[in-house]
Amino acid sequence: MSLGFHGMEEVLMRELRLYHHPIAVTWLFTDEEVRRFRETTPHTRPLKPTTFCQWEIAARMQGKTVLGEKGDLDCLGGRLSFGWRDIDEKQIKSLTAYCTDPAQTERFLRAKPRLPLDELKAVAVGPLGGARVAPHVVHFYCDVIQAYQLSVDYMAATDTETLRPLLTGTSASCGGSVFCSQEKTFNMCPACSGNFNAGKAERGEINVFIPAEHLEPLVNRLCRRIAQTGGAALFPAGDPFPGSDVCTNCPQIAFKPGHSDC
């Protein structure tokens, strides 16, 4: 069944108990794509240069769509990921704390997923349900059990036996999105330092990335699984909250109605 972007967000928010809107990430490579996006999609622009993680805060926590260009991005990792900056001494120096020496640092930087240099015109992030232009990636900030359910439904929907997500020392949300779109595959990684601090991931959220073209098969699989089991997406017994699923099949954890002494 075809749910559309709004319908898919409704299902995912309801069934997975998501805290945040799934984020539609859209690359815009030509002036015509940027013009068409501006005309079709209500959006905001950063008032000052900020990070990609901070653009996503507005998308996932406030339901805003943000259109950002090169001059709007104040983040070395993001600029490298989006092809808005090449590897140079400043990039190497910024990552040295995570590596043993400059040579290793440069090698690690060159291994990161990157869009082609100077080809991207703009990037848009917004709540999935408000997407007017088909995104390239859907980015979830979620907890571990939500990430698990997204991964196993993705595997079933795409007939993928194992997943091999990519982890780099930095550039979690920006580089993670690029890897997902380039490889056309599921990706999952913890927050990097910038993703945690600038991106407001204080709940310990994990990043999950789904290629946009794979999202509808995943959501349809999720709906079929719920219908087949007669339960909920997260808890097969149908309990609506994580705390109810205390210990599967344990006969000691049981309750009965109490009686008032009044």
Side-chain angles (χ1 to χ4, degrees):
M1 60 180 171
S2 181
L3 296 169
F5 299 128
H6 181 74
M8 286 191 288
E9 176 171 308
E10 280 194 334
V11 170
L12 290 163
M13 294 288 289
R14 180 182 69 247
E15 299 298 340
L16 296 184
R17 308 292 191 271
L18 297 176
Y19 297 114
H20 309 281
H21 293 285
I23 305 167
V25 180
T26 308
W27 315 126
L28 303 169
F29 288 101
T30 67
D31 292 332
E32 173 60 22
E33 287 177 335
V34 175
R35 182 192 64 78
R36 189 163 61 248
F37 187 92
R38 285 174 172 161
E39 291 178 352
T40 60
T41 307
H43 62 276
T44 61
R45 296 291 308 275
L47 285 174
K48 298 179 180 180
T50 45
T51 70
F52 179 68
C53 300
Q54 290 165 338
W55 299 355
E56 289 192 314
I57 292 170
R60 64 187 173 92
M61 301 181 78
Q62 297 180 323
K64 294 178 180 177
T65 296
V66 179
L67 179 65
E69 299 177 344
K70 182 177 180 179
D72 300 317
L73 187 62
D74 184 20
C75 174
L76 288 174
R79 287 191 170 201
L80 181 67
S81 297
F82 298 157
W84 286 343
R85 186 185 185 110
D86 205 353
I87 296 171
D88 55 23
E89 289 302 318
K90 189 172 183 179
Q91 284 276 7
I92 294 171
K93 186 176 180 181
S94 73
L95 197 65
T96 299
Y98 299 93
C99 302
T100 60
D101 54 53
Q104 186 188 70
T105 304
E106 182 173 356
R107 183 159 47 85
F108 281 20
L109 283 169
R110 295 197 180 281
K112 285 189 176 188
R114 292 179 284 163
L115 293 175
L117 191 63
D118 293 326
E119 289 192 11
L120 186 69
K121 294 289 185 180
V123 57
V125 295
L128 175 65
R132 306 283 182 85
V133 173
H136 294 87
V137 173
V138 180
H139 179 189
F140 296 82
Y141 280 74
C142 53
D143 64 29
V144 174
I145 190 63
Q146 292 162 345
Y148 168 75
Q149 293 294 351
L150 283 168
S151 64
V152 295
D153 281 329
Y154 179 89
M155 294 167 73
T158 60
D159 195 25
T160 304
E161 296 174 357
T162 60
L163 296 173
R164 297 187 177 184
L166 180 77
L167 171 63
T168 59
T170 59
S171 307
S173 59
C174 49
S177 296
V178 171
F179 175 79
C180 175
S181 64
Q182 287 182 329
E183 299 298 323
K184 303 297 183 188
T185 189
F186 177 99
N187 192 22
M188 177 169 61
C189 65
C192 66
S193 58
N195 187 196
F196 178 79
N197 295 320
K200 285 187 66 62
E202 66 273 7
R203 281 195 177 103
E205 294 94 335
I206 194 166
N207 296 281
V208 170
F209 311 87
I210 307 288
E213 59 266 38
H214 296 170
L215 188 66
E216 189 164 12
L218 183 155
V219 175
N220 287 335
R221 159 63 189 168
L222 172 73
C223 293
R224 286 195 301 271
R225 179 164 61 82
I226 294 169
Q228 289 167 358
T229 61
L234 290 177
F235 315 106
D239 289 325
F241 298 105
S244 297
D245 190 23
V246 186
C247 183
T248 304
N249 297 327
C250 180
Q252 301 302 317
I253 303 177
F255 304 91
K256 63 181 181 179
H259 300 284
S260 174
D261 292 332
C262 299

